[in-house]
């Protein structure tokens, strides 16, 4: 028996941030990206909720650490907040999620609202958080339904200031979520519907959002694509693109979306058996990838050829947005990789996203993908 429930209240469209006014008069803690603290969005959100600057925690670093979560927990407890409002990219929302979980463990249930300012992680609707354990040199994905935000506010106007490179990385994170969810072990017709619409919107709008960051249409469609991909993967699961991205992100300090973007063409090729003679013709995921290619308007032929076109389309999109093809181009040397290789493979195999991948890889296969992304 399967169950599909959505307990999240959604507000969307230009000006949707005004929905925060409902919290006026309540004890609110705002967990915000430092940019949001500086560019006036934090202040106007605080104004809407009738709270002052002292209610804003903006000591957020990209890829939140255990220490940052502990620091933020203290802040929220000292404020005796009953509502936590996260405003920022995945790093701010994930920090707030981890805080919500820790406080739940102490018997304190906070109402939780998430306001994304990047179109990428879909964290505003997922049940997971990614926290970096710097001492152990790894990123850990924790899933728990208690972390799904009670309320999500998708106000695409907040994403108009996102710099070009971040637009590219976060947008490729969206495409990775949708494609991984589409072929994941737990995919079903409901998650496929979300993934398909997300892919259509992301392939149709990401490059435009990258070129023209102030385009209402492109930003709005990317924000929806991000949300829909989040819905798809929180129910269907992800795959080894994320497992390896978590491991190389922690090892070499590579932004999450950029790591996914570099890995994704290689993971699609691996999952669909492109390396193996006639592999693609027998692979159910290859048929699914070919369907995804058709949906986003890539020319179609036989299954194998269509998946090859999809791989090329992903490489072209990366290239157009100046995302490098290899880790070498990011300054990772052969010696760095040699030193970290075994640890990365081990972390990727143990990552909770691996179980959802349509093909269960062995260490040698992960190693081969690493060799390819090294260049
Ligand atoms: N919980 C999930 O479901 C999930 C899914 C995927 C990734 N993640 C995690 O999310 C994190 C990445 O999140 P992200 O990709 O959104 O990046 P991010 O939150 O780290 O932000 C990236 C950069 O963009 C800046 N920024 C954010 N909003 C901006 C705005 N409106 N204008 C200008 N600059 C802005 C930030 O200051 C930062 O420098 C990683 O830790 C990743 O592992 C979580
Ligand atoms: Fe992601």
């Amino acid at each position: 028996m399967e169950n599909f429930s959505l307990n999240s209240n959604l507000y969307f469209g230009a000006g949707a941030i005004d929905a925060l006014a409902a919290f006026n008069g309540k004890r609110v803690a705002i967990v915000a990206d430092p940019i949001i603290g500086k560019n006036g969005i934090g202040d106007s959100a605080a104004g809407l909720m009738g709270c002052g600057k002292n209610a804003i925690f903006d000591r957020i670093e990209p890829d939140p650490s255990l220490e940052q979560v502990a620091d933020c927990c203290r802040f929220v407890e000292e404020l005796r907040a009953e509502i936590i409002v996260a405003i920022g990219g995945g790093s701010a929302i994930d920090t707030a999620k981890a805080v919500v979980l820790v406080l739940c463990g102490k018997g304190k249930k906070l109402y939780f609202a998430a306001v994304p300012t990047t179109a990428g992680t879909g964290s505003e609707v997922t049940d997971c958080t990614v926290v970096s354990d710097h001492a152990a040199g790894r990123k850990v994905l924790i899933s728990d339904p208690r972390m799904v935000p009670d309320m999500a506010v998708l106000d695409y106007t907040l994403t108009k200031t996102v710099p070009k490179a971040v637009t590219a990385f976060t947008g490729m994170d969206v495409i990775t979520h949708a494609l991984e969810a589409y072929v994941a072990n737990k995919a079903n017709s409901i998650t496929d519907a979300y993934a398909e619409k997300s892919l259509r919107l992301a392939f149709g709008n990401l490059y435009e959002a990258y070129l023209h960051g102030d385009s209402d249409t492109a930003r709005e469609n990317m924000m929806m694509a991000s949300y829909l991909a989040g819905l798809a993967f929180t129910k269907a699961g992800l795959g080894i693109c994320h497992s390896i991205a978590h491991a190389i992100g922690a090892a070499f300090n590579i932004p999450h979306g950029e790591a996914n973007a570099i890995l994704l063409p290689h993971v699609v090729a691996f999952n669909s058996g492109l390396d193996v003679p006639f592999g693609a013709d027998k692979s159910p995921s290859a048929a699914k990838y070919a369907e995804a290619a058709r949906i986003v308007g890539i020319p179609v032929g036989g299954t194998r050829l269509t998946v090859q076109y999809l791989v090329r389309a992903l490489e072209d999109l990366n290239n157009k947005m100046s995302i490098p093809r290899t880790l070498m181009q990011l300054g990772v040397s052969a010696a760095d990789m040699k030193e970290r290789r075994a640890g990365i493979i081990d972390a990727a195999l143990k990552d909770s996203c691996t179980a959802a991948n349509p093909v269960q890889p062995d260490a040698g296969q992960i190693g081969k993908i690493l060799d390819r992304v090294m260049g």
Side-chain angles (χ1 to χ4, degrees):
M1 184 174 67
E2 307 277 341
N3 167 257
F4 195 96
S5 56
L6 285 179
N7 299 323
S8 159
N9 197 7
L10 176 66
Y11 294 85
F12 59 97
I17 196 165
D18 290 350
L20 297 179
F23 303 140
N24 202 313
K26 302 265 170 56
R27 281 197 312 277
V28 179
I30 302 173
V31 178
D33 189 281
I35 298 245
I36 302 314
K38 287 190 200 92
N39 68 4
I41 295 172
D43 286 339
S44 58
L48 281 166
M49 294 183 280
C51 45
K53 266 198 184 329
N54 64 338
I56 304 178
F57 178 96
D58 66 359
R59 297 189 292 279
I60 300 287
E61 300 146 18
D63 302 338
S65 60
L66 290 170
E67 293 75 15
Q68 178 171 303
V69 170
D71 196 16
C72 188
C73 256
R74 271 190 298 277
F75 176 86
V76 174
E77 283 189 294
E78 277 164 21
L79 266 183
R80 293 188 300 114
E82 50 190 333
I83 295 172
I84 181 162
V85 177
I87 311 176
S91 297
I93 299 177
D94 278 12
T95 303
K97 280 175 147 174
V99 169
V100 165
L101 191 63
V102 171
L103 296 182
C104 250
K106 294 185 178 180
K108 297 175 202 155
K109 171 77 187 100
L110 275 79
Y111 187 87
F112 178 25
V115 187
T117 63
T118 60
T121 68
S123 185
E124 67 277 8
V125 72
T126 66
D127 66 359
C128 55
T129 183
V130 185
V131 181
S132 295
D133 180 346
H134 289 316
R138 60 194 191 117
K139 279 177 127 183
V140 191
L141 182 132
I142 306 160
S143 299
D144 191 303
R146 290 173 294 177
M147 287 189 292
V148 178
D150 300 296
M151 172 173 157
V153 176
L154 304 185
D155 188 335
Y156 70 86
T157 62
L158 306 181
T159 65
K160 285 188 171 189
T161 50
V162 174
K164 264 185 145 59
V166 179
T167 299
F169 301 160
T170 50
M172 289 309 294
D173 195 21
V174 173
I175 290 178
T176 309
H177 294 157
L179 269 183
E180 292 217 284
Y182 202 49
V183 300
N185 289 333
K186 286 196 294 172
N188 56 47
S189 297
I190 306 170
T191 59
D192 281 359
Y194 292 127
E196 287 178 4
K197 185 65 186 178
S198 174
L199 284 170
R200 255 188 241 275
L201 289 172
F203 269 87
N205 293 276
L206 174 55
Y207 189 51
E208 179 62 16
Y210 172 82
L211 284 182
H212 303 114
D214 59 350
S215 159
D216 285 287
T217 309
R219 290 297 195 186
E220 182 169 23
N221 285 332
M222 281 311 298
M223 180 132 260
M224 273 299 174
S226 171
Y227 178 80
L228 292 168
L231 268 178
F233 91 72
T234 199
K235 304 292 184 186
L238 288 168
I240 58 168
C241 192
H242 268 77
S243 310
I244 307 174
H246 291 149
I248 63 173
F252 306 123
N253 203 16
I254 301 170
H256 175 72
E258 187 174 31
N260 274 326
I262 295 171
L263 285 158
L264 187 61
H266 301 282
V267 170
V268 172
F270 168 72
N271 280 345
S272 47
L274 283 189
D275 289 349
V276 186
F278 307 110
D281 301 319
K282 295 190 206 115
S283 152
S285 355
K288 211 81 188 277
Y289 284 126
E291 180 64 10
R294 191 187 63 73
I295 284 164
V296 301
I298 291 169
V300 285
T303 305
R304 185 184 179 83
L305 187 62
T306 308
V307 180
Q308 281 168 337
Y309 282 143
L310 175 64
V311 169
R312 200 172 307 155
L314 294 169
E315 288 168 345
D316 286 348
L317 191 51
N318 280 344
N319 200 24
K320 282 197 296 190
M321 298 191 297
S322 300
I323 295 178
R325 274 184 42 252
T326 67
L327 300 185
M328 202 83 96
Q329 288 170 281
L330 285 175
V332 178
S333 69
D336 295 334
M337 181 51 95
K338 194 170 172 207
E339 190 190 330
R340 307 298 296 262
R341 198 171 189 276
I344 291 171
I345 294 173
D346 185 51
L349 287 172
K350 287 185 183 142
D351 191 286
S352 59
C353 296
T354 300
N357 199 66
V359 184
Q360 285 310 295
D362 58 28
Q365 288 165 321
I366 301 272
K368 212 165 174 184
I369 294 174
L370 282 182
D371 294 341
R372 292 196 171 149
V373 295
M374 264 311 279

